[in-house]
Amino acid sequence: MTEQAKTYYDMQNEYPLNKEQTDKYQEDGHIFLTNVATPEEIAYYEEQITSIVMELNYHDKPVSERDTYGKAFIQVGNLWQKSEEVKRFVLAKRFAKIAADLMGVEGVRIYHDQALFKEPGGGHTPWHQDQIYWPLDTDKTITMWMPLVPIPQEVGTMSFASGTHKLGYVNKQFISDESHKTLGQFIEGKGIPQVNYGAMSPGDATFHSGWTMHSAPGNPTEHMRKVMTVIYIADGLTVAEPDSKARESDMKSWFPGCKPGDPAASPLNPLVYSRK
């Protein structure tokens, strides 16, 4: 790749947001944005990300023989450490500034990235809250969810339960049939509005809070649903005392060397945007 192409694909330029968009995110806990990455950028990075995901795919059973979590997707994290090319994507200033603007914070760090590839015949992703896994006591977390390939209506994108980010910790159930049933009943019982943004193009993105309840349907098609996610946390946070084995595991994995009370700023959590 030429030096000119490298500069182009660094994605350092800004994606402007207006007050209506930031207000909507603050109210709903989720938002849909179009053309966050260009077709050219996505075409290049899709190839890089897919190569790593296929190499590191840990599944050794057919989809039909896995549990609910295993059926949901191929999941590979911290790709930014495995490729200098993917590092440019994950640490892109353009994405990070959107995250900071939506949360209304001065700067953001990476928590980690995850490729989530839903295979042909892959199962649904149950209702859940991301942040039950994260050793952080804050509402200043956000995930960018960006398709690398077209996602037609029949494959489906995520559904969000609007306003649930304001509730914080609702229950401790991890992604499972139980979480889908319990949170689904909670959402229906409270009459909480559900939003699905429908078909998405490569380079479109949704952003949602760590506490926003969300789910996704299965993949009934013969095509892989390829999605890349990046999780951001506000700069200046501290690591919370883990209150579950999952949070203890996440502390060791994503905040290596950090103890409760330490800044949430290990070498795996670089500062990717700051207004200062």
Side-chain angles (χ1 to χ4, degrees), residues 45-143:
Y45 286 112
E46 182 274 324
E47 183 178 344
Q48 308 298 318
I49 292 168
T50 297
S51 176
I52 297 173
V53 171
M54 293 299 99
E55 178 185 348
L56 299 179
N57 177 17
Y58 54 88
H59 287 304
D60 57 3
K61 294 180 180 179
V63 171
S64 61
E65 296 179 16
R66 303 177 203 160
D67 62 13
T68 297
Y69 191 91
K71 290 176 181 176
F73 34 61
I74 300 170
Q75 183 179 33
V76 180
N78 263 22
L79 274 69
W80 73 272
Q81 288 201 301
K82 301 172 175 64
S83 160
E84 284 299 314
E85 302 301 332
V86 178
K87 183 177 181 178
R88 272 190 279 275
F89 179 94
V90 174
L91 305 189
K93 179 181 176 182
R94 185 193 306 161
F95 304 156
K97 185 177 186 298
I98 293 172
D101 288 347
L102 291 174
M103 291 193 291
V105 299
E106 289 298 306
V108 293
R109 293 179 176 273
I110 295 292
Y111 182 43
H112 59 85
D113 67 53
Q114 286 185 325
L116 301 175
F117 283 26
K118 195 177 289 285
E119 298 156 278
H124 73 292
T125 305
W127 283 107
H128 65 283
Q129 293 176 293
D130 294 334
Q131 206 165 317
I132 63 166
Y133 293 95
W134 305 344
L136 295 164
D137 185 15
T138 179
D139 62 353
K140 301 303 183 185
T141 66
I142 192 170
T143 296

Side-chain angles (χ1 to χ4, degrees), residues 21 68-69 73 146 162 164 173 182 200 203 219 221 253 259 264:
Q21 289 171 313
T68 297
Y69 191 91
F73 34 61
M146 179 178 285
S162 294
T164 50
Q173 290 182 334
T182 301
M200 292 175 67
N219 180 3
T221 74
S253 296
K259 304 183 300 295

Side-chain angles (χ1 to χ4, degrees), residues 11-18 22 33 36 89-110 142 144 207 230 232 271-276:
M11 299 183 287
Q12 296 299 301
N13 58 315
E14 295 185 7
Y15 181 100
L17 297 175
N18 57 43
T22 56
L33 301 174
V36 176
F89 179 94
V90 174
L91 305 189
K93 179 181 176 182
R94 185 193 306 161
F95 304 156
K97 185 177 186 298
I98 293 172
D101 288 347
L102 291 174
M103 291 193 291
V105 299
E106 289 298 306
V108 293
R109 293 179 176 273
I110 295 292
I142 192 170
M144 180 185 78
F207 286 77
V230 184
Y232 303 91
L271 182 69
V272 283
Y273 175 74
S274 177
R275 302 184 201 281
K276 298 176 183 177

